[in-house]
């Protein structure tokens, strides 16, 4: 299906485990983003990528790792999950040019026990 | 730094009535974009409406319209003829304008809208 997808939609993991959240978009958008959504904070940017092999930190990057070997994929890895990383994670993408909207994926609800 | 403030954590409206959600922002820039996003219980973030700061005319999309007051740095969303499907969390967002490169999008903390049948 065309669009932006995330997997898994729900994940429960234990403290200290490594977790990877997947994001895939079919539009060939240059920019991709990872946000986390927590009550009282709105959406906060974790990492973004301007193109394949180009990534940069956002507001809250600590404890996360990203990679982008292909334009369409932008996985987010929690190297050693902590309870504070319990959140809803959104992937988004945007065209390179123009001040236009970001298109969001459906989100992944991650619980770290 | 840019900030976006939504001072109403929750609001309610009767079906078919009109409701206005408030948003204020702080910036020193003159060119920027403002957005309202809707997040229904499905969690999917959907763009409702966009306003370019250089445009004086308020943006309108069907039942959704904005009241953009640049001098006051205010960007409220009006929903007319409210429907049950409008029940959602609404986020106001700001993005500085630049012709290329990454520009951070700053989101407010959201307003939860309840529509009463």
């Amino acid at each position: 299906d065309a669009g932006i997808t995330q997997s898994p939609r729900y994940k429960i993991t234990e403290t200290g485990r490594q977790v990877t959240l997947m994001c895939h978009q079919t539009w060939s958008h240059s920019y991709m983003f990872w946000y986390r959504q927590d009550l009282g904070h709105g959406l906060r940017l974790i990492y973004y990528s301007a193109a394949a092999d180009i990534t940069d930190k956002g507001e809250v990057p600590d404890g996360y790792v990203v990679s982008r070997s292909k334009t369409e994929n932008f996985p987010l890895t929690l190297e050693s999950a902590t309870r504070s990383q319990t959140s809803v994670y959104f992937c988004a993408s945007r065209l390179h040019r123009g001040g236009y909207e970001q298109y969001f994926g459906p989100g992944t609800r991650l619980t770290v026990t | 730094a840019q900030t976006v403030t939504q001072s109403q954590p929750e609001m309610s409206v009767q079906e078919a009535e009109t409701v206005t959600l408030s948003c204020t922002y702080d910036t020193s820039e003159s060119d920027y974009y403002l957005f309202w996003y809707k997040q229904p219980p499905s969690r999917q973030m959907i763009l409702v409406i966009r306003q370019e700061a250089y445009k004086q005319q308020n943006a309108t999309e069907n039942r959704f319209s904005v009241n953009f007051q640049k001098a006051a740095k205010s960007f409220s969303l009006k929903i007319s003829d409210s429907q049950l499907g409008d029940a959602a969390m609404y986020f106001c967002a700001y993005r500085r304008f630049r012709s290329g490169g990454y520009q951070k999008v700053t989101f407010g903390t959201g307003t939860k809208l309840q529509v009463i049948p």
Side-chain angles (χ1 to χ4, degrees):
Chain A
D1 291 342
I4 184 165
T5 57
Q6 293 182 235
S7 62
R9 294 294 310 279
Y10 301 89
K11 177 73 176 178
I12 300 173
T13 191
E14 295 177 345
T15 300
R17 291 196 179 263
Q18 183 179 81
V19 178
T20 296
L21 309 184
M22 304 301 294
C23 179
H24 176 80
Q25 53 103 356
T26 61
W27 295 305
S28 298
H29 284 174
S30 297
Y31 280 90
M32 294 187 75
F33 310 86
W34 274 107
Y35 291 91
R36 59 177 290 173
Q37 183 180 28
D38 305 287
L39 277 175
H41 290 280
L43 278 83
R44 292 181 292 175
L45 183 67
I46 304 170
Y47 270 95
Y48 70 96
S49 169
D53 297 321
I54 300 175
T55 62
D56 208 346
K57 296 178 181 179
E59 300 172 69
V60 289
D62 293 343
Y64 303 95
V65 175
V66 294
S67 62
R68 195 165 175 208
S69 57
K70 293 183 178 181
T71 300
E72 62 267 28
N73 296 323
F74 190 40
L76 175 74
T77 298
L78 289 66
E79 293 187 300
S80 178
T82 65
R83 290 196 181 88
S84 65
Q85 292 177 311
T86 293
S87 186
V88 180
Y89 291 85
F90 286 96
C91 180
S93 70
R94 180 175 71 82
L95 283 168
H96 172 70
R97 297 191 184 280
Y100 298 157
E101 65 182 291
Q102 294 182 1
Y103 295 85
F104 285 84
T108 295
R109 180 178 294 277
L110 176 67
T111 301
V112 183
T113 62
Chain B
Q2 291 83 16
T3 58
V4 177
T5 302
Q6 293 179 251
S7 58
Q8 306 153 316
E10 294 188 25
M11 291 194 72
S12 61
V13 62
Q14 289 286 143
E15 194 175 4
E17 296 295 310
T18 296
V19 64
T20 299
L21 309 184
S22 301
C23 173
T24 58
Y25 58 94
D26 186 27
T27 183
S28 57
E29 301 287 334
S30 59
D31 290 332
Y32 48 87
Y33 298 93
L34 294 164
F35 308 88
W36 276 100
Y37 280 90
K38 171 185 177 181
Q39 186 182 38
S42 67
R43 293 205 311 258
Q44 185 83 45
M45 293 280 284
I46 304 162
L47 181 69
V48 174
I49 201 164
R50 180 186 73 238
Q51 175 81 42
E52 289 89 342
Y54 67 87
K55 291 185 178 179
Q56 293 187 340
Q57 186 173 8
N58 289 325
T60 300
E61 287 288 341
N62 300 315
R63 297 182 296 107
F64 298 87
S65 62
V66 298
N67 183 4
F68 173 48
Q69 301 289 328
K70 191 172 184 179
K73 297 179 182 175
S74 171
F75 183 60
S76 60
L77 174 70
K78 186 172 82 171
I79 306 174
S80 303
D81 186 26
S82 296
Q83 300 175 359
L84 294 178
D86 295 333
M89 184 76 86
Y90 287 82
F91 291 94
C92 179
Y94 164 98
R95 178 176 174 249
R96 185 175 65 178
F97 173 80
R98 284 294 187 272
S99 58
Y102 169 68
Q103 299 302 324
K104 174 187 172 183
V105 177
T106 301
F107 289 86
T109 52
T111 296
K112 185 176 182 180
L113 179 66
Q114 180 186 17
V115 180
I116 303 166

